[in-house]
Amino acid sequence: MVEKSILLIVSEDEDAATGMLEDVIVDSMALEFLLNDFRVRISEKAEGDDSSEEKRAREVLFDEARESGSLFLLEGRYRIEDDRVLLQLECLRVDRDASLYAGREEYPVDLNLDNAIQNSIRKVVASIESDLRDNPPEKMTGRTVDEPGPMEKDAVPGKPLPSQDQSVLSGRSGRRITGMAEYGLFIPVGESRDYFDLGSVPALGALYPVSLPFGILEFGGFISLNVIHAEGQMNSSQNLLVFLAPLIRYRIPLGERFACFFRLAPGGTLLMVNRNSEGFQGVMIPALQTGAGGEYVFREEWGFLWGADLSLSFEESITITGIQPSVGVYYRL
């Protein structure tokens, strides 16, 4: 089986303002190739090469690709203009000295930058796959995809390669799953105010993102526990409302650190009632939560979130209705 191997070289234009985004760009590219079963080598960018219009001449790049046993070479050059990143990509096939893909991409600098770059790399992957079908390569190193290559044997100095196992998804560019922990209050409204006191609501959730042209659509699950006291004319009860539901959330990045979101969770509530300390009795009833909130990125993978939701649990005699303001933290795996 032919090994799909690629050398990545990313550099900023000479007049670019800063190299602060280079790690995000490189890691996003590497992750997408790893997810498509490529062996990836990340090269250090050339330093102090002012004598040439190019940061590295093509023959130098090809030499490094051959040394590392890479069949393909992807060169990326970027610059930052205001709040946007301009990225020029060219993918070359080393054994044929052929250009497979060339394109110029433009992205806003926001929380969706890594996902947008990965979408661009999928175009490169498609070009490579098409070329491999049409032009099967001759063996360059005699290795198969399952055999170790120079990148595992420190043959070429350069930037350390991200892990190729699933732990790579916990890096900055993965951000495939968001775990959430929240704490809120249940404030009864409407008819519910006549029966229920203020409740406390701890909650856990998880979401998987799907990038859209505008914003990010996320799918997952949500569970919360609402502890509230009810007081009737004849008796009182301690109530536990265990809400369990699929969760749909639409998140809109607002600049580099903030985002807003809207969420909907149609599901069910396990209503457990303890009347006059006689023991809990439970029944499952339909329920719905919907609301909006915001996020603040604090340290790359994790940050704070806040929101307010309308909570509805449809019991036979009453719809248990309340507003749930909440705060919490999230971590993106």
Side-chain angles (χ1 to χ4, degrees):
M1 179 180 179
V2 175
E3 178 187 44
K4 296 190 296 184
S5 53
I6 192 163
L7 176 69
L8 304 183
I9 299 178
V10 176
S11 60
E12 58 181 334
D13 279 352
E14 293 179 358
D15 56 348
T18 174
M20 62 182 293
L21 291 177
E22 184 167 319
D23 285 345
V24 179
I25 295 171
V26 172
D27 291 349
S28 300
M29 290 179 175
L31 176 63
E32 189 59 36
F33 281 115
L34 290 171
L35 293 175
N36 283 277
D37 300 321
F38 279 74
R39 289 185 182 271
V40 180
R41 179 68 187 176
I42 301 173
S43 173
E44 295 285 358
K45 67 180 180 180
E47 300 288 351
D49 189 13
D50 296 331
S51 61
S52 173
E53 293 183 0
E54 301 292 337
K55 292 212 182 265
R56 288 192 177 189
R58 176 168 292 194
E59 57 268 21
V60 177
L61 300 179
F62 272 49
D63 287 344
E64 183 171 353
R66 292 188 185 99
E67 280 188 62
S68 65
S70 300
L71 182 58
F72 302 98
L73 168 67
L74 180 63
E75 184 177 13
R77 191 175 287 182
Y78 74 95
R79 61 180 294 158
I80 301 172
E81 292 185 357
D82 298 325
D83 60 347
R84 304 190 72 79
V85 178
L86 307 180
L87 178 63
Q88 187 78 31
L89 295 172
E90 184 174 14
C91 182
L92 306 167
R93 179 154 161 179
V94 176
D95 63 340
R96 297 198 298 116
D97 192 11
S99 177
L100 305 184
Y101 178 90
R104 181 179 181 273
E105 306 287 347
E106 183 175 336
Y107 322 101
V109 180
D110 58 24
L111 296 176
N112 197 35
L113 176 60
D114 48 3
N115 287 321
I117 293 172
Q118 286 177 247
N119 287 337
S120 296
I121 296 303
R122 291 188 188 108
K123 302 176 188 176
V124 179
V125 170
S127 297
I128 290 175
E129 298 284 5
S130 175
D131 182 73
L132 283 174
R133 287 192 298 269
D134 296 338
N135 302 284
E138 297 180 0
K139 290 186 178 180
M140 295 177 62
T141 64
R143 291 183 288 111
T144 66
V145 72
D146 298 321
E147 294 175 333
M151 66 190 69
E152 289 83 20
K153 299 178 181 178
D154 65 1
V156 180
K159 182 177 177 180
L161 179 68
S163 169
Q164 295 197 43
D165 60 23
Q166 290 301 311
S167 64
V168 73
L169 296 181
S170 65
R172 178 172 182 173
S173 294
R175 293 185 185 163
R176 294 288 182 174
I177 299 175
T178 298
M180 303 174 296
E182 301 180 33
Y183 182 82
L185 297 176
F186 177 83
I187 304 172
V189 296
E191 186 182 4
S192 297
R193 289 184 302 174
D194 299 333
Y195 300 98
F196 296 99
D197 296 334
L198 192 72
S200 60
V201 188
L204 296 172
L207 291 164
Y208 184 90
V210 177
S211 297
L212 300 176
F214 301 98
I216 303 166
L217 190 61
E218 299 170 298
F219 301 90
F222 188 76
I223 183 170
S224 67
L225 175 63
N226 187 358
V227 182
I228 53 175
H229 180 79
E231 192 72 39
Q233 294 181 350
M234 302 296 296
N235 52 33
S236 63
S237 65
Q238 192 69 19
N239 301 274
L240 300 179
L241 283 75
V242 183
F243 176 70
L244 181 64
L247 176 62
I248 303 172
R249 193 174 79 159
Y250 179 60
R251 178 162 52 95
I252 306 172
L254 302 174
E256 187 174 350
R257 291 192 174 270
F258 286 94
C260 67
F261 61 78
F262 305 90
R263 60 187 177 187
L264 174 67
T269 292
L270 176 59
L271 174 60
M272 302 181 68
V273 180
N274 183 6
R275 291 187 177 89
N276 301 321
S277 301
E278 295 176 355
F280 281 99
Q281 296 180 339
V283 60
M284 197 72 182
I285 58 177
L288 174 71
Q289 285 189 16
T290 183
E295 290 182 358
Y296 176 77
V297 179
F298 185 69
R299 288 285 301 275
E300 293 187 353
E301 293 92 354
W302 70 277
F304 303 108
L305 58 87
W306 59 92
D309 295 273
L310 173 65
S311 175
L312 303 168
S313 295
F314 303 96
E315 204 265 337
E316 285 186 3
S317 59
I318 186 175
T319 297
I320 305 172
T321 307
I323 301 296
Q324 291 184 188
S326 62
V327 295
V329 295
Y330 70 83
Y331 187 85
R332 291 205 168 93
L333 303 178

